[in-house]
Amino acid sequence: MMAKKIKITKDGPYLVSGNVPLSKETAMIGKEGEPETWKKGEKYPEQENYALCRCGMSKNKPYCDGTHAKQGFDGTETCDNEKYLKKAEKISGPGVDLTDAQEFCSSARFCHLSGGTWSNVEASDDPKCKKIAIQTACNCASGRLVVWDNKTNKPIEPKFEQSIGLIEDPQAGASGPIWAKGGILVESADGKQYEIRNRMTLCRCGKSGNKPFCDGMHITAKFNDGDESLKR
Ligand code: FES
């Protein structure tokens, strides 16, 4: 079987290869009024190869329909290729540590729950706080936040099948990024490989200032892919 890969094309779509499962992923609000769980939605038909819209303007979302060329989309990749740990700040806690690379934030806001990931890391000698710290960091779609077992010095990561989620954020009234899960290789238009991470969010609204990664601009832009959850 072909390795799963996302190839970025110059000012054009993401070419996905290797039969990568594709489905919707909706951010669900919990009792505290904050995003708390992810809900898998509609599954798209299996395809060995497909092209996902990157400019946000396709009439056939999530797929590319060639509009990027007519509209003169500038998809220049402005994110440098520095490794996650080089970008991340480390916060040490008594039960777990946290690394935080703010640049990757896609504004999914799961880290706001129960006082926030950071304060729960700081209080992680309390098992309840440790659990919240782990849960909220693991729900961070972009992988900005990673919790570490401070005894083994290993990251605590959710287990994912290699797949792509199309994020919907009804609370913000916007569709969100492409969620590449499980360590899919992402290759730039000029052939360089981005660091493989378990959780990555790639811009599909066309507005990020940190391409190819999402920087949360889809919320300001009220990017809407026509999902039912945004019609309420
Ligand atoms: S999808 Fe988040 S900035 Fe484009």
Side-chain angles (χ1 to χ4, degrees):
M1 216 214 297
M2 247 177 82
K4 296 185 176 10
K5 181 173 164 182
I6 300 174
K7 168 73 188 169
I8 299 163
T9 59
K10 185 174 162 24
D11 302 327
Y14 297 107
L15 301 182
V16 182
S17 55
N19 203 5
V20 183
L22 178 69
S23 63
K24 293 269 183 166
E25 290 272 359
T26 303
M28 305 302 290
I29 306 305
K31 285 195 200 88
E32 294 181 23
E34 300 287 356
E36 194 171 325
T37 49
W38 288 104
K39 187 174 166 218
K40 229 186 219 329
E42 180 191 351
K43 278 193 182 136
Y44 289 81
E46 273 188 36
Q47 295 182 79
E48 183 62 30
N49 302 305
Y50 51 92
L52 291 177
C53 173
R54 186 161 78 95
C55 69
M57 295 180 279
S58 170
K59 299 265 180 310
N60 188 35
K61 294 186 195 71
Y63 303 110
C64 169
D65 70 352
T67 303
H68 58 274
K70 289 179 210 129
Q71 297 291 335
F73 171 60
D74 177 1
T76 306
E77 293 162 67
T78 47
C79 180
D80 58 39
N81 209 1
E82 198 78 86
K83 296 242 185 316
Y84 170 83
L85 283 177
K86 280 258 180 200
K87 293 180 191 278
E89 185 193 342
K90 184 173 175 185
I91 296 104
S92 297
V96 284
D97 294 338
L98 178 73
T99 46
D100 177 0
Q102 204 176 347
E103 181 184 310
F104 291 121
C105 186
S106 62
S107 300
R109 312 179 308 288
F110 283 74
C111 55
H112 293 182
L113 197 73
S114 301
T117 308
W118 299 264
S119 55
N120 282 286
V121 166
E122 277 159 18
S124 56
D125 43 351
D126 177 341
K128 215 171 124 196
C129 295
K130 182 175 171 181
K131 196 171 159 208
I132 294 166
I134 294 170
Q135 177 199 329
T136 53
C138 286
N139 274 333
C140 168
S142 68
R144 163 188 171 176
L145 300 177
V146 178
V147 274
W148 299 73
D149 183 322
N150 56 13
K151 294 201 178 61
T152 61
N153 217 16
K154 292 218 168 85
I156 301 169
E157 280 288 331
K159 295 228 179 326
F160 289 136
E161 173 196 17
Q162 285 194 314
S163 57
I164 291 178
L166 300 168
I167 290 181
E168 301 296 343
D169 183 351
Q171 188 188 46
S175 302
I178 284 168
W179 188 4
K181 297 177 173 185
I184 300 177
L185 172 68
V186 178
E187 189 183 289
S188 70
D190 64 4
K192 69 176 189 282
Q193 296 185 352
Y194 288 97
E195 180 182 15
I196 295 177
R197 294 184 291 120
N198 187 35
R199 297 169 277 149
M200 292 191 279
T201 43
L202 300 170
C203 175
R204 66 176 174 125
C205 74
K207 303 277 192 262
S208 172
N210 191 38
K211 291 186 185 72
F213 300 104
C214 165
D215 69 354
M217 269 304 289
H218 56 271
I219 295 178
T220 312
K222 292 271 176 223
F223 174 57
N224 187 332
D225 67 2
D227 189 73
E228 282 298 315
S229 67
L230 304 182
K231 290 182 183 154
R232 277 170 224 145

